Amino acid sequence: MEGTDSVVHAKGVVRVYGEGDTAVRALHGVDVEIESGQLTAVMGPSGSGKSTLMHILAGLDRPTSGSVTIDGIEITTLGDDALTKLRRQHIGFIFQFFNLLPMLSARDNILLPLTIAGEKADPEFFDTLVERVGLADRLAHRPAELSGGQQQRVAIARALVSRPTVVFADEPTGNLDSRTSGEILDLMRSSVETYGQTTVMVTHDAKAAAMADRVLYLADGEIVKETGRSSQHEILQIIDTLDLQ
Ligand SMILES: Nc1ncnc2c1ncn2[C@@H]1O[C@H](COP(=O)(O)OP(=O)(O)O)[C@@H](O)[C@H]1O
Ligand SMILES: [Mg+2]
């Protein structure tokens, strides 16, 4: 049934950084399924493992043990080339600090994932996407000539342009003022509504999580609670009860 398929599936995911006395166990055996067509929010205190989990679910990092499938393909046993290819086809990633290439125009930054893959954008989709994210008159500008909000719009368009199976956003508004954050969050939500874009977003902001269809709460490398669509008030209460500040 549309909207209930799981497109990313993680089981028993453990991630240990380093070895011996200094080893850090960032994830303790996480089980999670990401549902197609939904916006899933991930909340949790700093250091709880949110970025580690996002990177692993997106195939940007490999777990120490456990299983991750993207669109039914087990990624933990794939070679580097195959993983890179799978990522290009299935994953869009939005970072807190935008991660744009400074030498490229907004247009070329947006098109980069396709350029690297040797593909061309569908011109109609590109035009509507650029219109939607409000960059139609900024395409020739380089990142340094754009505001933070505009740079994040470029990053969002870059993540969406290949119509990936899943978009991951790791604190996409963490570096933006509150008004700009609101605009970016509206954009994230509308890509779920308009394109059915499956999206997973890490956020500290209960207001942002209240826009999600589902909220996962992470503490000390484990998912300790999961809720469906919730109000900002309900989310704040859960954070308070679980002591996740
Ligand atoms: N490259 C790394 N090397 C060593 N420890 C790391 C590394 N990345 C993250 N960690 C540690 O793993 C834990 C989880 O980090 P992270 O996933 O970044 O959490 P969050 O995104 O929730 O703030 C923290 O204790 C952090 O210090
Ligand atoms: Mg983080």
Side-chain angles (χ1 to χ4, degrees), residues 15-18 22-27 44-55 170-171 202 204 218 221:
R15 178 64 165 101
V16 180
Y17 291 109
T22 57
V24 176
R25 211 175 154 84
L27 297 175
S46 183
S48 57
K50 303 179 300 294
S51 293
T52 302
L53 180 62
M54 299 288 277
H55 291 159
D170 192 355
E171 305 199 40
V202 170
H204 274 121
L218 203 63

Side-chain angles (χ1 to χ4, degrees), residues 144-163:
E145 299 161 347
L146 299 171
S147 69
Q150 288 169 338
Q151 290 183 57
Q152 197 60 306
R153 289 163 186 277
V154 173
I156 291 172
R158 178 181 61 181
L160 293 172
V161 74
S162 57
R163 325 244 14 206

Side-chain angles (χ1 to χ4, degrees), residues 4-14 27-36 38-43 49-50 52-58 63 65-72 74-75 166 168 198-202 214-218 221-227:
T4 57
D5 300 336
S6 137
V7 289
V8 179
H9 194 123
K11 203 157 174 53
V13 167
V14 171
L27 297 175
H28 287 270
V30 171
D31 297 335
V32 65
E33 285 185 31
I34 302 304
E35 307 288 334
S36 176
Q38 286 197 350
L39 175 60
T40 301
V42 179
M43 301 197 85
K50 303 179 300 294
T52 302
L53 180 62
M54 299 288 277
H55 291 159
I56 287 176
L57 295 182
S65 63
S67 153
V68 178
T69 64
I70 296 174
D71 201 34
E74 176 63 53
I75 65 166
V166 195
F168 291 93
T198 308
T199 305
V200 187
M201 177 174 70
V202 170
R214 183 175 168 227
V215 187
L216 307 176
Y217 302 83
L218 203 63
E222 284 178 277
I223 293 175
V224 290
K225 191 173 176 72
E226 182 186 329
T227 57

